Amino acid sequence: MRTATFAILTLAMLEVSPAAQTRARQTLDIYVVDVEGGNATLFVSPSGESLLMDTGNGGAAASRDAGRILAAITDSGVTQIDHLITTHWHGDHFGAMAELAGRIPIRHYIDHGPSVQSQPASDLFLKDVYPALFGKAKHTVAKPGDRIPIAGLDWRIVTAAGEAIKASLPGAGKPNPLCATYKPQEADPTENAQSVGSVITFGRFRAAHLGDLTWNKEFDLMCPMNRIGTVDVFFVSHHGQPISYREVLVHALQSRVPVMNNGTRKGGQPPAMQIIHSAPGLEDLWQAHFSALSGQEYTVPGMFIANTIDQQPEAMPVAPLAPPPPGSAPPPSPVHNGESYWIKVSAQQDGTFTVTNARNGFSKTYRSR
């Protein structure tokens, strides 16, 4: 009888243990994972629910990037991905999905719908691979205004499939004076303009992640009214490339801390960096990588950069490296297949949040404003 009672008690303890661990979590934890100029951002709520936004690069890099994402997942303590948002169908955003799904359960797949841009890798993936993945789980095509149910968070979809929310989020909706000086660009026919964008609220803490949303779609979202309002953390659009991230969005958001998931030679070009550094309310910019396209002229102190560059030169030139001409590919970056480091944001309900550089352990806490 004692043996049976002990077994029942042991089983009960095992059953409640995960819940007890969930109750012990007090912060919204966000991991910006280094996937070499792609995107993978992991959100873990105080309830223990997880959402991963994008899965990094495919091809030969798929195993590497899936491994880096899994390292962040392991550090967070979760054992499955409850929701996966694929912002758009470019290889640096969905490439390692199948590899990752083979290593950890993914319960809910979210995207903007079919690709508008025919590319061999995405065409094959969407035809043969993706349906098999979400066929074993749940699949949602996101629409602006949708909410993703995560206990303790208010997660709003603000852009998807080239459309933006029409109604302002709570507390937003003021006229955006920057709209008057915006100059429209040529229409973007690529997947970037289709990006699924999110605004996440946890108590008094607010963050925004818009994928690779480009200029004209930023205008549609922010004009004539600022439908988002202000945020504490903005996950920099499009890796900090100047075809996104204009004043009409960046300066209106007044983010205290932008976090840029860039690569050594992808993102961080001077035009974008000038906009970031001149934004009202800016306190610090954090970067996944040192950018050779920034040079010393436009970069931030090394303590705010999670990954430097392999084959480090003796002295980093002040002048930025010249970017490739429009429409051409950049020269290959030095190989970085060794250890990589994430940037972690831990937010509290009162609006206070701490950002940590995993490479050097440097942390900075930003008190609620």
Side-chain angles (χ1 to χ4, degrees), residues 38-68:
N39 181 65
T41 309
L42 174 68
F43 296 77
V44 181
S45 73
S47 67
E49 294 173 83
S50 59
L51 185 147
L52 177 65
M53 192 174 295
D54 293 332
T55 51
N57 294 279
S63 179
R64 178 200 67 195
D65 286 1
R68 292 178 179 183

Side-chain angles (χ1 to χ4, degrees), residues 26-219:
Q26 300 295 321
T27 56
L28 166 62
D29 294 330
I30 308 169
Y31 294 79
V32 178
V33 182
D34 170 33
V35 287
E36 303 297 327
N39 181 65
T41 309
L42 174 68
F43 296 77
V44 181
S45 73
S47 67
E49 294 173 83
S50 59
L51 185 147
L52 177 65
M53 192 174 295
D54 293 332
T55 51
N57 294 279
S63 179
R64 178 200 67 195
D65 286 1
R68 292 178 179 183
I69 295 167
L70 279 169
I73 291 171
T74 299
D75 188 80
S76 75
V78 301
T79 57
Q80 66 179 26
I81 299 300
D82 295 301
H83 310 276
L84 169 63
I85 294 178
T86 301
T87 58
H88 61 294
W89 301 116
H90 278 166
D92 56 331
H93 291 256
F94 76 86
M97 187 193 301
E99 179 81 22
L100 184 66
R103 303 195 199 181
I104 189 169
I106 301 174
R107 303 303 185 191
H108 184 197
Y109 292 80
I110 304 167
D111 56 71
H112 70 69
S115 176
V116 301
Q117 183 182 7
S118 180
Q119 302 172 104
S122 60
D123 291 347
L124 180 63
F125 179 84
L126 291 171
K127 179 178 180 293
D128 296 333
V129 180
Y130 193 49
L133 294 177
F134 70 67
K136 303 173 185 177
K138 180 182 177 182
H139 177 227
T140 298
V141 175
K143 301 289 191 299
D146 286 355
R147 296 189 184 190
I148 298 178
I150 301 176
L153 303 185
D154 182 4
W155 192 297
R156 309 281 186 112
I157 302 298
V158 295
T159 61
E163 300 295 328
I165 53 173
K166 304 302 181 185
S168 298
L169 299 182
K174 295 180 180 179
N176 184 352
L178 296 163
C179 300
T181 56
Y182 175 80
K183 296 181 180 180
Q185 309 298 312
E186 291 185 12
D188 179 6
T190 74
E191 272 291 294
N192 293 323
Q194 307 298 307
S195 290
V196 177
S198 300
V199 172
I200 305 98
T201 303
F202 172 52
R204 295 176 61 187
F205 173 82
R206 301 185 83 231
H209 193 312
L210 304 179
D212 282 3
L213 202 69
T214 41
W215 288 0
N216 291 347
K217 298 303 179 181
E218 293 176 343
F219 176 87

Side-chain angles (χ1 to χ4, degrees), residues 25 37 62 132 167 183 234 248 320 330:
R25 188 187 297 271
K183 296 181 180 180
F234 183 55
V248 72

